[in-house]
Amino acid sequence: MDDLTEMLKGTLEGCVLEIIGREETYGYAIARQLNQLGFTGVVEGTVYTILLRLERNKLVQVVKRPSGMGPPRKFYSLNEAGREELARFWTKWQYLSSRINKLKEGGE
Amino acid sequence: MDDLTEMLKGTLEGCVLEIIGREETYGYAIARQLNQLGFTGVVEGTVYTILLRLERNKLVQVVKRPSGMGPPRKFYSLNEAGREELARFWTKWQYLSSRINKLKEGGE
DNA sequence: GCCCACTACTCAGTGATACTGTGTAGTGGT
DNA sequence: ACCACTACACAGTATCACTGAGTAGTGGGC
């Protein structure tokens, strides 16, 4: 698939929120999961910047735990603000994608 | 609706291409049409920057015509490269939106 | 013991995009 | 003369995904 970078803007962060909302997880695993989900070309560096942003914006709770497979991992889970942000994200996605699809189907 | 700015990145240009592809039209009209289609908050300045970019990237043909209602209008229509770009845009949209919707519906 | 692959995170800098604000200008109504 | 509406351009800003370089821990092959 072509480069999706620009189209991911504004949606990738929401996708990361969704993944974290399912179960407590960490950056390296999120990156691999995204790629497995078809978000090809999303590299680790990108995921880490999003995670640091989520932390800075106080949307997640962070716990550091030893790994056994390498350096310690930072596990992320959503707090109340994060769950609200995730809900807002899906509302916006629903709104926008429906408009775009209508435009695509020839709607005026 | 909340601010859609970030989510529009990478898709708004494609939407403008789609509108131009339907019939020859001009910036001011495109801006009003977008708002009518539910893309609220998209202002004229944004549309003009996109149009100038499309022109610079040689995806459109431009014709200037007097208006009778104000200053002359710049009418845009797609050339072959523009139609190809539009097709690529919809392919990418289809790909990405399907992945995101699958994620939303709880798919792993 | 030494290198290398894999795991795991950080951070400064880049490129692309939508938006803001300001300016210019033509037409028509009061 | 003034104002509203139409119509476009352009410099500057904010945000976001990405790049590249760096730091570290674990374990396997030689």
Side-chain angles (χ1 to χ4, degrees):
Chain A
M1 171 58 49
D2 259 25
D3 186 31
L4 297 174
T5 300
E6 294 308 324
M7 225 178 247
L8 280 171
K9 286 187 180 174
T11 59
L12 189 54
E13 179 180 308
C15 294
V16 171
L17 276 175
E18 171 68 26
I19 290 172
I20 295 174
R22 302 238 176 112
E23 58 168 345
E24 194 194 51
T25 181
Y26 58 99
Y28 192 77
I30 294 171
R32 274 192 288 118
Q33 196 176 347
L34 280 170
N35 279 281
Q36 195 187 323
L37 286 165
F39 298 85
T40 54
V42 174
V43 295
E44 294 156 38
T46 300
V47 175
Y48 289 123
T49 43
I50 290 175
L51 290 172
L52 289 173
R53 192 163 69 229
L54 294 178
E55 192 176 352
R56 199 170 61 240
N57 294 343
K58 305 205 194 313
L59 299 174
V60 288
Q61 196 196 346
V62 190
V63 181
K64 203 165 200 169
R65 297 219 188 85
S67 159
M69 297 282 290
R73 297 164 173 163
K74 281 178 71 177
F75 282 85
Y76 294 83
S77 53
L78 298 190
N79 59 25
E80 188 52 31
R83 279 187 290 274
E84 287 168 12
E85 180 61 30
L86 178 58
R88 261 196 305 279
F89 166 71
W90 284 126
T91 302
K92 279 165 65 171
W93 169 256
Q94 182 57 39
Y95 179 88
L96 219 198
S97 64
S98 72
R99 309 291 144 147
I100 293 179
N101 283 325
K102 203 151 96 182
L103 178 66
K104 187 186 174 199
E105 306 308 337
E108 316 83 43
Chain B
M1 173 56 52
D2 258 25
D3 186 31
L4 297 174
T5 300
E6 293 308 324
M7 226 179 246
L8 280 171
K9 287 186 180 175
T11 59
L12 190 54
E13 180 180 308
C15 293
V16 170
L17 276 174
E18 171 68 26
I19 289 173
I20 295 174
R22 301 234 177 117
E23 59 169 343
E24 194 194 51
T25 181
Y26 57 100
Y28 192 78
I30 293 172
R32 273 192 288 117
Q33 198 177 344
L34 280 170
N35 279 280
Q36 194 188 325
L37 286 166
F39 297 85
T40 53
V42 175
V43 294
E44 294 156 37
T46 301
V47 175
Y48 290 124
T49 46
I50 290 175
L51 291 172
L52 290 172
R53 191 163 69 228
L54 294 178
E55 191 176 352
R56 200 170 62 238
N57 294 343
K58 305 204 192 314
L59 299 174
V60 289
Q61 194 193 347
V62 190
V63 180
K64 202 164 199 168
R65 298 219 187 83
S67 160
M69 297 282 290
R73 297 166 174 163
K74 280 178 72 175
F75 282 85
Y76 294 83
S77 52
L78 298 191
N79 58 25
E80 189 52 31
R83 278 187 290 275
E84 287 169 12
E85 179 60 30
L86 178 57
R88 259 195 307 276
F89 166 71
W90 284 127
T91 301
K92 278 164 65 171
W93 169 255
Q94 183 57 38
Y95 179 88
L96 218 197
S97 65
S98 73
R99 308 292 145 147
I100 293 179
N101 283 325
K102 203 150 94 181
L103 178 65
K104 187 185 174 200
E105 306 309 337
E108 316 86 40

